[in-house]
């Protein structure tokens, strides 16, 4: 079965069982970075009624895991929008982690912590990696008894705590401000500008310029987000 045939059948499955599968999943399938994992879905499982060998990827399991990711995003960041844009910012730079997650063969209900830990580490990756350029992230984490380290070094409890802190940051903005920068990869942002500069004739279009400019821009936005959080966090206890 071709890749496009599999994607089309997945789309029909989402539309046909909308009560179970969030419509955001339908939009996510258009992104090419899912193509590799979709191509590995067992052909027989596309009927959604046949069990396949344990080591193979099932179509229904793929959709369930994708939906679980979206549900966790909505659970923690219900007042951010548009959600599909935020998910795209998170997933694309962390596609290897996402592929690993979507390849899980375990039963979700029986392995909730394993599933959630993978989701949490995908979501926090850009925020943590941005700390290399943004000192205020390190300060923010230290204020909550956390440190900046490799994503894989965080425990489940630490990853969950960082997710909760990101949720508080978003909530305190009340849907305003530059919330997307909490989830966007600064490395990807810089590289995108460098790639576009290849088609421009400008003395400013250098990697050094973009790195300096983009780092300053991100720092300004993060400082604004943290400032708002510090002025509004006293209200969080009323929503626990």
């Amino acid at each position: 079965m071709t890749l496009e045939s599999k994607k089309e059948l997945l789309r029909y499955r989402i539309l046909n069982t909308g009560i179970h599968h969030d419509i955001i999943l339908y939009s996510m399938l258009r992104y090419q970075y899912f193509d590799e994992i979709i191509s590995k879905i067992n052909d027989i499982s596309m009927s959604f009624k046949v069990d396949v060998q344990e080591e193979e990827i099932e179509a229904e399991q793929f959709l369930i895991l994708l939906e679980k990711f979206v549900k966790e995003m909505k659970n923690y960041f219900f007042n951010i929008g548009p959600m599909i844009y935020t998910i795209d910012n998170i997933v694309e730079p962390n596609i290897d982690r996402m592929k690993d997650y979507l390849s899980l063969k375990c039963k979700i209900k029986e392995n909730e912590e394993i599933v959630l830990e993978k989701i949490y580490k995908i979501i926090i990756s850009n925020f943590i990696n941005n700390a290399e350029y943004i000192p205020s992230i390190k300060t923010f984490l230290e204020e909550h008894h956390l440190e900046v380290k490799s994503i894989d070094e965080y425990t489940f409890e630490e990853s969950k705590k960082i997710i909760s802190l990101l949720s508080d940051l978003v909530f305190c903005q009340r849907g305003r401000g530059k919330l997307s920068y909490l989830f966007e990869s600064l490395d990807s942002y810089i590289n995108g500008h460098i790639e576009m500069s290849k088609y421009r004739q400008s003395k400013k279009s250098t990697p050094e310029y973009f790195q300096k400019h983009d780092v300053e821009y991100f720092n300004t936005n993060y400082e604004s987000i943290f400032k708002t959080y510090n002025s509004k966090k006293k209200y969080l206890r009323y929503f626990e």
Side-chain angles (χ1 to χ4, degrees):
M1 187 180 296
T2 66
L3 171 63
E4 284 308 312
S5 294
K6 289 181 178 180
K7 292 174 81 169
E8 195 65 14
L9 284 170
L10 289 171
R11 291 187 187 102
Y12 275 116
R13 179 65 172 180
I14 293 167
L15 291 175
N16 192 48
T17 56
I19 192 170
H20 301 298
H21 299 297
D22 196 294
I23 196 64
I24 287 180
L25 273 64
Y26 187 94
S27 299
M28 290 175 72
L29 291 180
R30 76 174 185 266
Y31 294 122
Q32 292 183 351
Y33 46 66
F34 286 127
D35 287 359
E36 182 181 340
I37 188 71
I38 292 173
S39 68
K40 294 179 181 178
I41 293 175
N42 181 280
D43 288 6
I44 297 175
S45 76
M46 297 305 298
S47 69
F48 299 96
K49 296 179 181 179
V50 181
D51 292 331
V52 300
Q53 294 183 19
E54 191 172 317
E55 67 273 9
E56 296 183 307
I57 299 173
E58 293 185 20
E60 187 69 15
Q61 177 81 345
F62 171 84
L63 289 178
I64 289 171
L65 288 168
L66 202 58
E67 182 181 38
K68 179 68 174 174
F69 182 85
V70 172
K71 282 186 174 180
E72 289 302 311
M73 282 292 298
K74 286 191 167 185
N75 180 44
Y76 282 100
F77 311 110
F78 59 88
N79 63 327
I80 194 171
M83 180 60 71
I84 187 65
Y85 175 75
T86 302
I87 290 175
D88 184 37
N89 278 339
I90 292 170
V91 171
E92 187 168 16
N94 299 288
I95 190 58
D96 288 338
R97 288 187 182 278
M98 195 68 175
K99 289 176 183 176
D100 177 62
Y101 165 67
L102 293 173
S103 299
L104 282 174
K105 311 297 192 302
C106 62
K107 294 185 181 298
I108 295 177
K109 289 184 179 180
E110 296 172 8
N111 298 273
E112 184 82 0
E113 187 170 311
I114 292 173
V115 172
L116 287 176
E117 183 170 13
K118 287 185 178 292
I119 291 173
Y120 293 163
K121 287 184 175 179
I122 293 169
I123 295 172
I124 69 174
S125 286
N126 292 341
F127 179 74
I128 296 300
N129 291 334
N130 286 348
E132 178 183 349
Y133 306 98
I134 302 171
S136 55
I137 294 177
K138 182 173 183 291
T139 301
F140 175 74
L141 291 175
E142 288 175 345
E143 289 171 352
H144 294 88
H145 312 291
L146 291 163
E147 59 181 296
V148 175
K149 52 187 175 181
S150 169
I151 300 297
D152 291 323
E153 292 180 8
Y154 287 110
T155 64
F156 171 75
E157 290 75 18
E158 288 173 327
S159 298
K160 186 176 182 179
K161 185 175 181 180
I162 295 171
I163 284 282
S164 295
L165 288 171
L166 280 170
S167 179
D168 288 346
L169 283 169
V170 170
F171 184 73
C172 286
Q173 310 304 308
R174 296 183 296 181
R176 304 170 185 172
K178 307 288 187 177
L179 294 176
S180 63
Y181 294 98
L182 290 171
F183 305 98
E184 191 160 0
S185 165
L186 180 47
D187 280 325
S188 295
Y189 193 86
I190 294 169
N191 290 335
H193 277 158
I194 291 173
E195 189 65 26
M196 286 191 296
S197 73
K198 295 177 182 179
Y199 306 98
R200 298 176 180 173
Q201 296 292 329
S202 172
K203 292 181 180 180
K204 288 186 176 182
S205 298
T206 65
E208 294 77 16
Y209 168 79
F210 286 121
Q211 175 147 343
K212 181 177 182 298
H213 177 272
D214 292 346
V215 167
E216 289 176 352
Y217 186 59
F218 264 65
N219 266 293
T220 299
N221 284 308
Y222 268 89
E223 287 170 6
S224 175
I225 290 170
F226 291 136
K227 182 179 179 181
T228 300
Y229 167 80
N230 286 326
S231 69
K232 305 294 184 185
K233 63 183 179 182
K234 59 188 175 185
Y235 300 113
L236 288 171
R237 64 190 179 91
Y238 294 103
F239 299 93
E240 293 177 353

